[in-house]
C-alpha cells in the first residue's frame, strides 16, 4: 500500500479516501498551476486495468475561505446547474464545466489530520491555460467562455449562493482595509512606498463608482465569477476554443463589470502581473478590443446599456482594486497572497497602478 503513492506531503493522507485509489496501481502528484491562494496538485493514477486517469487535488485555503461547506455547496450547485444547461444545448458537460469527484462517503471534500480541507476535481484533458494571451483570438475565446458563463447563469437564483468572501469586490471597503494597513504599518514598509500610497489616496473617489451605481439600481446584481484571470479559463488544446471556466471559489452575486474588468486587468496587459520592468507594462488595445467583442458576443442581451457604457471604467476600477489589495498585503507583511520573492506583492501592486494610468490615458476614464 505504502509504495502506491509517490511523493510526499499531507495529501498522501487524502487520496486513500477517494474511490479511484482502489483502481490505481500507482499514484503520483505534482504541483500545478499559478494560483495565489489554494495549493493545487495534478494527480496521475496509473490504473490496474491499464491506462491513466488524472485529477486535480486542491487544499482549500481556509484562512481565506472560512466556510468550506458553503463554498463546496456553491460549486456543487452551480456546476450541476451548468451541466444540465450545457447538456441541453448539445455541449459536453465533462469538458465544459468542472466536475467535483466525491470521496468514498459521497462528501464534497476531505479533511486531513490537521483539519486541512482537500477536494478533488476531474482533470479536463486536452485543454490548456495561459498566463499571458498568446494571440488576440485566444483572448477573445477566453472572453467567450466568461460571457457564456454569465449568460448560462442568468437565471440561477443568486440569493441562494453563500457569500464565500464577504465584501470581495466592495472597492470602498478594500480602500478602508488599505488605510488600516497603512496606519498599522506592521513591517515599517510605508516609508519606502510613498509614491504607491499617494497613488491610491489620489484615487479614492474612483473606488465608489461601481458600488454607488449598484446601490442606485443602475447596475444589476447577477451571478458572477469574480476571479476571471486568463489562467482561470481553459481553452481546447486543438481548436483553441474557450472551453471551461475554472476556479469557482468566488462565484457569488456581483456585477458583470467585476468579471469583465478583472479579465482586462490581467489579460489585456502587455506583461505579467508581477513584471518588474514597468516599461513593459501597458494596456494592449488590440487585446482589450478582442476581449470586449468576445464578451459582448457571448453574453448577448444579458448585458444592459449601462453595463456596456461602464465597461472601460469597470476595467480601471478592478485594476485599481487589485493593486490596492497587493499593496495592502505588502504593508501587512504578505499574509494573504502567496509570494515567491521579496517584494513580490509590491511588484504586483506597481504593475496594476501602471496599468491604471495607461487605462486612464487610452480609455479616457
Ligand atoms: C487570487 O486564486 P487566484 O490566483 O486565481 C485572488 C484574486 C486576485 C488574484 C490576483 C480568492 O486569485 O481575487 O484577483 O489572485 N483570489 C482570491 O492575481 O482572493
Ligand atoms: Mg486561479
Amino acid at each position: 500500500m505504502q509504495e502506491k503513492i509517490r511523493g510526499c506531503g499531507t495529501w498522501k493522507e487524502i487520496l486513500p479516501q477517494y474511490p479511484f485509489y482502489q483502481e490505481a496501481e500507482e499514484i503520483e502528484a505534482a504541483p500545478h498551476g499559478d494560483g495565489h491562494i489554494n495549493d493545487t496538485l495534478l494527480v496521475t493514477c496509473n490504473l490496474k486495468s491499464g491506462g491513466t486517469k488524472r485529477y486535480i487535488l486542491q487544499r482549500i485555503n481556509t484562512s481565506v475561505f472560512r466556510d468550506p461547506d458553503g463554498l463546496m455547496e456553491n460549486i456543487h450547485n452551480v456546476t450541476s446547474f451548468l451541466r444540465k444547461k450545457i447538456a441541453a444545448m448539445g455541449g459536453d458537460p465533462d469538458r465544459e464545466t468542472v466536475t467535483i469527484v466525491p470521496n468514498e462517503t459521497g462528501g464534497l471534500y476531505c479533511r486531513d489530520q490537521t483539519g486541512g480541507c482537500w477536494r478533488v476535481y476531474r482533470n479536463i484533458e486536452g485543454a490548456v491555460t495561459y498566463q499571458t494571451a498568446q494571440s488576440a483570438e485566444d483572448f477573445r475565446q477566453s472572453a467567450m467562455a466568461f460571457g457564456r458563463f454569465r449568460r448560462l447563469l442568468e437565471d440561477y437564483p443568486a440569493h441562494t449562493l453563500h457569500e464565500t468572501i464577504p465584501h470581495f469586490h466592495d472597492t470602498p471597503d478594500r480602500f478602508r482595509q488599505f488605510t488600516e494597513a497603512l496606519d498599522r504599518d506592521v513591517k515599517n514598509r510605508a516609508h519606502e512606498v510613498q509614491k504607491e500610497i499617494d497613488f491610491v489616496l489620489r484615487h479614492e473617489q474612483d473606488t465608489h463608482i461601481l458600488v454607488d451605481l449598484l446601490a442606485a439600481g443602475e447596475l444589476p446584481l447577477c451571478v458572477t465569477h469574480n476571479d476571471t484571470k486568463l489562467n482561470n479559463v481553459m481553452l481546447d488544446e486543438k481548436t483553441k476554443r474557450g472551453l471551461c471556466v475554472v476556479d469557482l471559489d468566488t462565484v457569488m452575486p456581483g456585477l458583470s463589470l467585476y468579471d469583465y474588468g478583472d479579465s482586462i486587468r490581467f489579460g489585456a496587459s502587455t506583461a505579467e502581473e508581477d513584471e518588474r520592468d514597468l516599461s513593459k507594462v501597458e494596456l494592449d488595445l488590440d487585446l482589450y478590443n478582442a476581449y470586449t467583442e468576445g464578451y459582448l458576443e457571448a453574453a448577448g442581451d444579458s448585458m444592459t446599456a449601462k453595463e456596456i457604457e461602464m465597461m472601460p471604467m469597470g476595467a480601471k476600477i478592478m485594476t485599481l482594486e487589485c493593486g490596492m489589495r497587493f499593496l495592502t498585503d505588502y504593508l501587512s507583511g504578505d499574509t494573504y497572497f502567496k509570494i515567491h520573492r521579496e517584494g513580490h506583492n509590491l511588484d504586483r501592486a506597481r504593475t496594476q497602478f501602471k496599468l491604471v494610468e495607461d487605462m486612464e490615458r487610452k480609455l479616457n476614464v
Side-chain angles (χ1 to χ4, degrees), residues 35-37 65 165 168 227 229 232 247 250 262 265 273 322 325-326 336-337:
H36 295 340
I37 308 293
F65 297 106
I165 303 180
F168 191 59
D227 184 12
K229 302 202 295 198
N232 281 336
D247 199 351
T250 50
D262 195 49
R265 77 146 194 100
E273 197 182 52
C322 199
R325 292 176 63 198
F326 288 140
Y336 186 90
F337 296 105

Side-chain angles (χ1 to χ4, degrees), residues 314-325:
K316 172 177 154 178
I317 293 172
M318 293 311 292
T319 310
L320 173 66
E321 182 191 280
C322 199
M324 279 193 316
R325 292 176 63 198

Side-chain angles (χ1 to χ4, degrees), residues 125 158 175 184 238 289 293 299 316:
E125 299 295 341
F175 182 85
R184 274 195 239 109
K238 286 210 191 86
N289 290 327
E293 270 170 41
K316 172 177 154 178

Side-chain angles (χ1 to χ4, degrees), residues 54-105:
R54 301 199 298 174
Y55 299 91
I56 300 294
L57 173 66
Q58 267 185 327
R59 189 163 69 90
I60 302 169
N61 182 333
T62 44
S63 34
V64 170
F65 297 106
R66 292 172 180 275
D67 172 19
D69 291 291
L71 171 84
M72 292 310 291
E73 192 183 302
N74 274 2
I75 298 178
H76 174 71
N77 290 344
V78 164
T79 54
S80 307
F81 184 92
L82 288 172
R83 288 187 81 79
K84 281 193 206 125
K85 282 218 173 173
I86 292 165
M89 289 164 59
D92 177 355
D94 286 342
R95 299 193 77 225
E96 293 172 33
T97 186
V98 296
T99 309
I100 302 171
V101 178
N103 65 24
E104 273 174 347
T105 58

Side-chain angles (χ1 to χ4, degrees), residues 155-175:
D155 52 346
Y156 187 94
H159 66 278
T160 61
L161 286 169
H162 301 274
E163 216 182 335
T164 53
I165 303 180
H167 300 284
F168 191 59
H169 285 311
D170 180 341
T171 318
D173 194 59
R174 295 292 186 181
F175 182 85

